[in-house]
């Protein structure tokens, strides 16, 4: 994980950082899974994880993004850690290309095999990306700071009436998951969406940020 302050010591707030500063910080982290820096992007369903991860991946010069929606299934909304560890984490830990079959939520079956080659940074995005079974393999954990009711309402609007029944079951499952296996207390950084981008702040488990804050559009993208 990111360098931590002791839990008994008060955390001094630092200035927010932009995506370019965040990308530079991620690239300086020691690898956490073989040659790879796995970085989790967690938060409630509908909190904007996928959009943020895509923006961050672009700032990183095209970093791969593993979507946990491709790993979970209708029958295993949160009972997917063994498959993730076996099919993705273990090969990457050995410096090998991972092979997994993404789940098709419309057909309710697994699709054709995809590959995920080792890279300097791989983003793992989805609800539960910071769960206990995954955290030992992460170089850092980011939490989308959106209240759960706001996030769920956003998700319901996004998915429409056709997914109303699914959302009723999902909310119950997500509440149970985070009650038993929370991620937010272990987040190194908190991500807030703003009108002009994102604000990244120190999280409950992280250290203060001391890099100068610049606009998201300033500076070159970091190279791999």
């Amino acid at each position: 994980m990111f360098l931590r302050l002791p839990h008994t010591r008060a955390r001094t707030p630092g200035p927010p950082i932009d995506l370019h500063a965040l990308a530079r910080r991620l690239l300086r982290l020691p690898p956490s899974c073989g040659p790879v820096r796995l970085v989790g992007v967690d938060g409630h369903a509908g909190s904007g994880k996928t959009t943020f991860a895509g923006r961050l991946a672009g700032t990183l010069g095209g970093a791969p993004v593993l979507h946990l929606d491709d790993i979970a299934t209708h029958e295993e909304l949160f009972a997917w850690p063994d498959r993730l560890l076996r099919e993705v984490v273990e090969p990457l830990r050995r410096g090998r290309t991972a092979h997994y079959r993404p789940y098709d939520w419309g057909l309710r079956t697994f699709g054709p095999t995809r590959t995920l080659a080792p890279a300097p940074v791989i983003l793992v995005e989805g609800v539960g990306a910071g769960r206990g079974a995954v955290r030992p393999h992460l170089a850092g954990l980011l939490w989308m700071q959106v209240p759960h009711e706001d996030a769920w309402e956003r998700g319901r609007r996004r998915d429409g009436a056709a997914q109303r029944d699914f959302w009723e079951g999902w909310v119950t499952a997500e509440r149970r998951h985070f009650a038993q296996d929370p991620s937010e207390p272990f987040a190194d950084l908190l991500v807030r969406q703003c009108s002009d981008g994102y604000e990244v702040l120190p999280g409950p488990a992280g250290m203060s940020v001391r890099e100068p804050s610049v606009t998201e559009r300033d500076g070159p993208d970091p190279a791999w």
Side-chain angles (χ1 to χ4, degrees):
M1 292 292 186
F2 293 113
L3 295 175
R4 301 181 184 281
L5 294 177
H7 288 288
T8 56
R9 178 179 168 187
R11 178 169 53 84
T12 303
I17 60 175
D18 66 285
L19 293 190
H20 286 93
L22 175 58
R24 290 192 295 269
R25 183 171 181 177
L26 295 180
L27 289 168
R28 289 200 299 267
L29 294 173
S32 60
C33 184
V36 177
R37 299 159 182 83
L38 283 184
V39 176
V41 180
D42 205 339
H44 299 289
S47 60
K49 298 178 300 300
T50 302
T51 300
F52 172 75
R55 296 279 293 277
L56 179 57
T59 306
L60 282 161
V65 181
L66 176 67
H67 302 285
L68 291 179
D69 281 352
D70 291 339
I71 304 297
T73 71
H74 282 91
E75 290 73 29
E76 296 178 323
L77 292 179
F78 291 100
W80 43 257
D82 288 346
R83 187 166 61 255
L84 175 71
L85 296 176
R86 181 179 64 254
E87 297 181 0
V88 177
V89 172
E90 182 60 20
L92 293 176
R93 189 182 68 81
R94 296 175 178 270
R96 299 174 180 171
T97 296
H99 297 79
Y100 67 99
R101 295 176 62 196
Y103 184 69
D104 187 316
W105 290 84
L107 298 177
R108 303 178 75 100
T109 187
F110 290 99
T113 299
R114 288 183 188 172
T115 60
L116 182 63
V121 176
I122 294 178
L123 303 178
V124 181
E125 171 273 319
V127 181
R131 66 191 303 170
V134 181
R135 280 198 303 275
H137 308 283
L138 297 180
L141 175 60
L142 283 66
W143 175 266
M144 303 299 294
Q145 197 173 40
V146 179
H148 61 269
E149 292 293 351
D150 293 347
W152 293 338
E153 180 57 30
R154 183 191 299 175
R156 290 187 182 98
R157 290 198 305 268
R158 176 195 64 200
D159 294 344
Q163 297 296 323
R164 184 180 296 115
D165 291 343
F166 174 80
W167 267 96
E168 289 181 3
W170 172 268
V171 166
T172 299
E174 185 182 307
R175 286 185 187 275
R176 183 184 307 115
H177 166 71
F178 280 133
Q180 298 171 348
D181 194 355
S183 297
E184 184 176 7
F186 301 94
D188 299 287
L189 295 170
L190 303 175
V191 181
R192 298 174 182 168
Q193 188 168 4
C194 306
S195 58
D196 58 348
Y198 295 93
E199 183 180 54
V200 184
L201 299 166
M207 65 175 292
S208 297
V209 179
R210 291 186 170 81
E211 285 202 47
S213 180
V214 297
T215 65
E216 189 175 313
R217 295 176 294 277
D218 288 344
D221 290 349
W224 289 110

